[in-house]
Amino acid sequence: MTATAPPAASPPPGEALGRPLRRVDGREKVTGTARYSGDHAPAGLTHAALLGARVAAGRVRRIDTSRALAAEGVRAVFTHENLPRIAAQPPLLPSLAGGPAPGQTFFPMQDAEIHYAGQPVAMVVADTWERALHATRLIRVDYEETAPATVLDQIRHEAFEPEKIFGGLLPGRTARGDLAAGLEQAEVTVDLTFSYAANHQNPLETSTTTAYWEGGSLILYDSAQGPAATQHTLAVLLGLPHADIRVDSHLVGGSFGSKAMTWAHPALAALAARETGSPVRLALTREQMFTSCGHREEQEQRLTLGARRDGRLVAMRHHKLAATSHFDDWAEPSLEAAAQLYACEHYEGRYLLARAHTMTPSFMRCPGEATGLFALESAMDELAARLDLDPLELRRRNHAERDPVSGKPWSSKGLDECHARGAALIGWERRAAPPAREGDWLIGLGMASSVYPIVPPVNPQRATARVFADGSALVQAGVAEFGTGATTAMRQVAADALGLPVTACRFEGGSTDLPNVSAAVGSMGAAYTGAAVHAAATALREQLIAMALADPDSPLHGARPEEVTLAGGRMVLRDRPETGESYAELLRRHLQPDAEATGSWGPDQLTESGARHAMLTFGAQFAEVAVDAELGVIRVRRLVGAFAPGRVLNARMATGQLMGGMLWGMSQALLERTFMDPALGRWNNTSLGDYLVPVHADVPEVTVELVEVHDEAVNPLGVKGVGEIGQAGTAAAIANAVHHATGRRLTRLPLSLEDLL
């Protein structure tokens, strides 16, 4: 694998931003001293275990908990007959919005109805987890069962077009131009249908909540991407003031979307703790992660492209059919970014939903773009083949100089540069020759464009910064560290703005006691929190410079603010850098132990430039594969990704994020599938032994290239984000490489031997 430069050990003060520094939390994680939500053990801790419904549809006719209640160590058993009722149900809204964010609008154990297999029907609280789990197996439940419908083939005839999807944020249908007229103008048409298996996120740490009460106040240690989202959601569910709920999510062992929303277990743990009078830890089992935290839904997409003989698109029709729950109109947004990628005058996007006996689907890494781009970029490859055009040249001919949807210019782009860099690194010129063969292996090259949306904040993102008289600094914001490196990157942002060494700066996050930021989802964690930290540190720097200019004893006294800069950890005159002083010297002279400032970035701070521009992150994916001509086995030999994510806060961590996304795209292409038993309505492979993900032996050579683009519109730091763009387009690039090697166009994910043989 190749990446960027080796990590710098100690960059000069004020020059930390972008440097490939190592994670500050790395040592505690690899030595086992890091504390996650399940590691907090308040005095008197008890443990809860859930019993899930073994049927997918029907009602609980009778439930017998007597044997469980009599079991050793059991404190309580809750069912729909005795669990307290929730105060209210908040609406479905993505956590990026910064408010209540329930994963679905159904809360379990409020009545006898069964909506999906695995739905919690009982909860046991005992003095140990093993005893709680054992007691769940002593509960006898009689069901009034009805026939479930859980897969698209059972429900497609009931599909409907929703008015809104995605928590009501996106329309069910969008259009521009005249699709019928565009298709009539087309000289070449490609019409393909793509199908996608359901997927599950499977982070290493299963979702865990430890809850206890102090008087009327609730304290939660919750494994969540957004502690504030958990707080807001529980305030509605439990009918509590926000001030009476504290949520800590300091370290989270992965999420990939499963912890982006607030599911039932935090509220269940809180209710159990209140009813039993003791702290309660509720940790989901691996099997329950498949039935408790959402999933990427089973879906089908039909994409029609109409083009002229020269390859220029004139029409695009993109329809999606997805399975959703009986209570929510949810579909991951697969059509939106794809509609913006290429210049095309006539377009129609349409969502169709069909209700299944399943929980509401949810975010999974690269939600929407990972699936939508597989359809679009595979269809573009097919169009190139029919026109006898190089696939890269076809994309260049359809380059969108402006956003096709809004007509606005891009805030920044870099897609042409990504195409050129990626093509050079993979050796794209080889594709002009007939596909190579090495013994039984057919060798193919494929490519795809990448795109991911940028979501402006809908509410203020806040942070505080404090400098102490010893010269150290502390910056605080409520973002959780779930493996992305936020703790390290925010130190670098603070050090850059304050002109201090990174070693003098500390970042503290992961609690609702700290200034509010939205959940770190949608690749916007670095942008949102970084902009708030930058604002706080900049305000503090300006405050201290003003203090020095007004101080008769300061070497800077009487200077104008614009004459002062930061150098070597000191405030100095721009034209006489030997004249100045440090923050510590200034504070100590004034007998002031510290100085503090709050910074905010949100809708009111968005620049006029931001409103005038369309904003997306762009990239390009290239793949080299080998396909066994006899067995149909696919091996990915090389992946090359070139991306333009705006300003990079830490080159080492950004490269790791992008590489991880590319490898997940490979996993999506070749391995990941959750099997549903349509007769029983249950997931069949609910373990890491049966749900396939890549191991080290599957990982090919991976090259990540960062293309620099300057962007003043997206946020003060020019950060676009790297969390998901690495996965966007990878599966399509691999499938296109398979087509180049074999001549077979595969349209089902994951790609399978059966479809090749």
Side-chain angles (χ1 to χ4, degrees):
M1 298 184 187
T2 59
T4 52
S10 182
E15 298 182 21
L17 212 57
R19 297 295 184 96
L21 304 185
R22 296 186 184 277
R23 295 171 182 264
V24 297
D25 57 349
R27 179 173 294 275
E28 60 179 328
K29 287 183 174 179
V30 299
T31 57
T33 57
R35 299 186 74 200
Y36 295 84
S37 297
D39 294 322
H40 294 273
L45 178 68
T46 59
H47 300 262
L50 298 177
L51 175 67
R54 63 173 177 79
V55 304
R59 293 178 57 83
V60 174
R61 180 186 291 123
R62 179 175 174 272
I63 187 164
D64 181 0
T65 62
S66 58
R67 294 176 64 214
L69 283 166
E72 185 175 1
V74 171
R75 304 285 185 84
V77 178
F78 299 99
T79 70
H80 70 279
E81 295 174 344
N82 65 340
L83 184 75
R85 298 300 176 250
I86 59 172
Q89 173 63 57
L92 189 68
L93 193 66
S95 51
L96 200 63
Q104 58 186 12
T105 58
F106 163 74
F107 193 85
M109 288 192 280
Q110 300 294 289
D111 57 37
E113 290 294 323
I114 302 298
H115 299 280
Y116 55 90
Q119 170 188 319
V121 294
M123 174 172 58
V124 175
V125 179
D127 56 357
T128 70
W129 182 80
E130 291 80 5
R131 285 174 170 173
L133 184 64
H134 169 69
T136 63
R137 296 167 181 169
L138 301 178
I139 298 172
R140 296 291 177 263
V141 186
D142 292 332
Y143 297 97
E144 183 180 312
E145 188 174 359
T146 56
T150 53
V151 297
L152 282 180
D153 284 345
Q154 295 173 313
I155 55 178
R156 66 175 64 246
H157 64 284
E158 299 174 351
F160 65 96
E161 182 179 302
E163 181 180 351
K164 299 279 188 179
I165 64 158
F166 205 58
L169 297 183
L170 296 175
R173 182 196 291 254
T174 56
R176 63 177 181 264
D178 185 332
L179 179 67
L183 289 174
E184 191 167 329
Q185 296 169 20
E187 297 171 295
V188 180
T189 302
V190 170
D191 190 352
L192 296 172
T193 298
F194 302 86
S195 58
Y196 307 75
N199 297 156
H200 281 81
Q201 300 94 336
N202 278 305
L204 189 59
E205 178 203 28
T206 64
S207 293
T208 301
T209 301
T210 303
Y212 64 98
W213 295 78
E214 290 182 348
S217 296
L218 172 63
I219 294 90
L220 286 179
Y221 295 100
D222 187 42
S223 181
Q225 283 182 248
T230 302
Q231 179 195 47
H232 299 328
T233 307
L234 264 64
V236 177
L237 288 172
L238 303 181
L240 292 174
H242 284 69
D244 289 346
I245 303 174
R246 190 186 87 211
V247 180
D248 286 343
S249 303
H250 291 290
L251 289 178
V252 179
S255 169
F256 317 118
S258 65
K259 302 168 187 174
M261 307 286 276
T262 303
W263 300 97
H265 54 276
L268 289 173
L271 289 170
R274 187 170 64 185
E275 294 301 301
T276 61
S278 60
V280 171
R281 178 187 298 156
L282 174 53
L284 300 183
T285 65
R286 178 61 57 187
E287 181 178 358
Q288 288 167 349
M289 289 295 292
F290 285 79
T291 58
S292 304
C293 300
H295 55 278
R296 198 193 304 276
E297 71 267 29
E298 182 194 6
Q299 57 191 274
E300 186 176 280
Q301 296 182 30
R302 182 181 177 186
L303 195 132
T304 306
L305 297 178
R308 298 189 179 94
R309 288 286 177 194
D310 63 3
R312 286 179 171 81
L313 295 172
V314 293
M316 181 188 304
R317 179 175 57 212
H318 198 172
H319 291 182
K320 171 177 173 175
L321 169 65
T324 188
S325 67
H326 277 267
F327 26 85
D328 293 314
D329 290 353
W330 175 275
E332 63 173 10
S334 303
L335 312 183
E336 279 65 29
Q340 296 176 273
L341 184 50
Y342 298 117
C344 183
E345 181 181 358
H346 307 291
Y347 170 86
E348 179 189 83
R350 184 186 181 203
Y351 289 94
L352 294 170
L353 298 178
R355 301 207 180 279
H357 291 104
T358 178
M359 68 182 317
T360 301
S362 185
F363 298 104
M364 187 167 178
R365 192 175 188 180
C366 201
E369 285 64 42
T371 53
L373 287 180
F374 176 68
L376 175 60
E377 291 301 278
S378 296
M380 287 290 285
D381 199 71
E382 181 66 22
L383 178 61
R386 296 188 188 183
L387 293 170
D388 196 25
L389 264 180
D390 180 281
L392 183 53
E393 175 60 25
L394 175 66
R395 286 161 174 82
R396 287 172 175 157
R397 293 186 185 185
N398 288 285
H399 184 87
E401 296 296 336
R402 304 173 75 89
D403 175 18
V405 176
S406 67
K408 296 179 180 179
W410 303 110
S411 59
S412 63
K413 194 166 189 184
L415 181 57
D416 281 341
E417 294 86 345
C418 291
H419 281 150
R421 297 251 197 115
L425 288 167
I426 198 74
W428 187 252
E429 69 279 357
R430 294 177 292 151
R431 202 181 183 284
R437 181 162 185 156
E438 298 176 5
D440 290 335
W441 295 98
L442 307 173
I443 313 301
L445 291 174
M447 62 85 56
S449 298
S450 295
V451 66
Y452 197 80
I454 295 169
V455 183
V458 298
N459 48 49
Q461 310 295 303
R462 294 191 296 273
T464 58
R466 184 185 301 175
V467 168
F468 298 92
D470 64 358
S472 65
L474 172 66
V475 184
Q476 298 172 307
V479 68
E481 171 60 85
F482 59 98
T484 58
T487 303
T488 307
M490 292 309 113
R491 285 193 184 195
Q492 292 177 255
V493 173
D496 176 77
L498 292 169
L500 291 173
V502 177
T503 52
C505 299
R506 185 165 66 88
F507 176 76
E508 187 177 280
S511 173
T512 53
D513 282 350
L514 302 177
N516 180 70
V517 290
S518 296
V521 301
S523 295
M524 297 309 298
Y528 283 14
T529 309
V533 167
H534 174 78
T538 300
L540 179 56
R541 178 190 72 206
E542 293 174 350
Q543 172 187 320
L544 289 166
I545 289 174
M547 183 177 171
L549 299 182
D551 181 1
D553 295 327
S554 172
L556 301 173
H557 178 63
R560 296 190 303 272
E562 61 270 20
E563 296 174 335
V564 179
T565 188
L566 304 173
R570 302 170 72 242
M571 302 173 287
V572 300
L573 292 177
R574 192 178 301 276
D575 58 352
R576 284 185 291 142
E578 72 280 2
T579 301
E581 65 178 334
S582 68
Y583 301 136
E585 291 169 325
L586 175 67
L587 291 172
R588 286 198 296 265
R589 188 168 60 250
H590 284 264
L591 303 179
Q592 189 170 325
D594 63 18
E596 183 178 84
T598 297
S600 177
W601 179 72
D604 293 341
Q605 286 77 36
L606 286 176
T607 65
E608 182 184 350
S609 176
R612 293 199 313 266
H613 290 87
M615 297 179 286
L616 288 174
T617 305
F618 294 92
Q621 306 271 10
F622 293 81
E624 179 179 323
V625 305
V627 183
D628 189 298
E630 297 296 326
L631 302 177
V633 173
I634 302 170
R635 291 285 182 262
V636 178
R637 291 189 168 184
R638 286 189 69 196
L639 291 174
V640 171
F643 308 97
R647 194 173 193 179
V648 171
L649 300 181
N650 182 304
R652 180 184 180 90
M653 294 188 302
T655 299
Q657 283 264 52
L658 292 165
M659 185 180 293
M662 293 167 69
L663 293 175
W664 197 328
M666 182 188 77
S667 182
Q668 177 194 18
L670 301 179
L671 297 171
E672 292 196 48
R673 178 180 181 181
T674 319
F675 291 89
M676 171 63 73
D677 183 327
L680 298 177
R682 302 179 199 164
W683 301 114
N684 276 341
N685 52 328
T686 55
S687 76
L688 288 179
D690 297 314
Y691 184 91
L692 300 181
V693 295
V695 296
H696 286 294
D698 298 312
V699 175
E701 177 185 346
V702 182
T703 302
V704 175
E705 182 84 348
L706 295 173
V707 173
E708 293 186 17
V709 292
H710 183 68
D711 199 316
E712 295 182 348
V714 289
N715 49 65
L717 291 172
V719 173
K720 288 186 166 186
V722 295
E724 286 150 308
I725 185 71
Q727 186 176 349
T730 311
I734 292 170
N736 292 342
V738 170
H739 177 264
H740 178 235
T742 66
R744 298 291 298 276
R745 174 67 59 197
L746 303 186
T747 59
R748 292 197 298 179
L749 286 182
L751 312 178
S752 67
L753 305 180
E754 292 82 358
D755 289 336
L756 276 173
L757 295 177

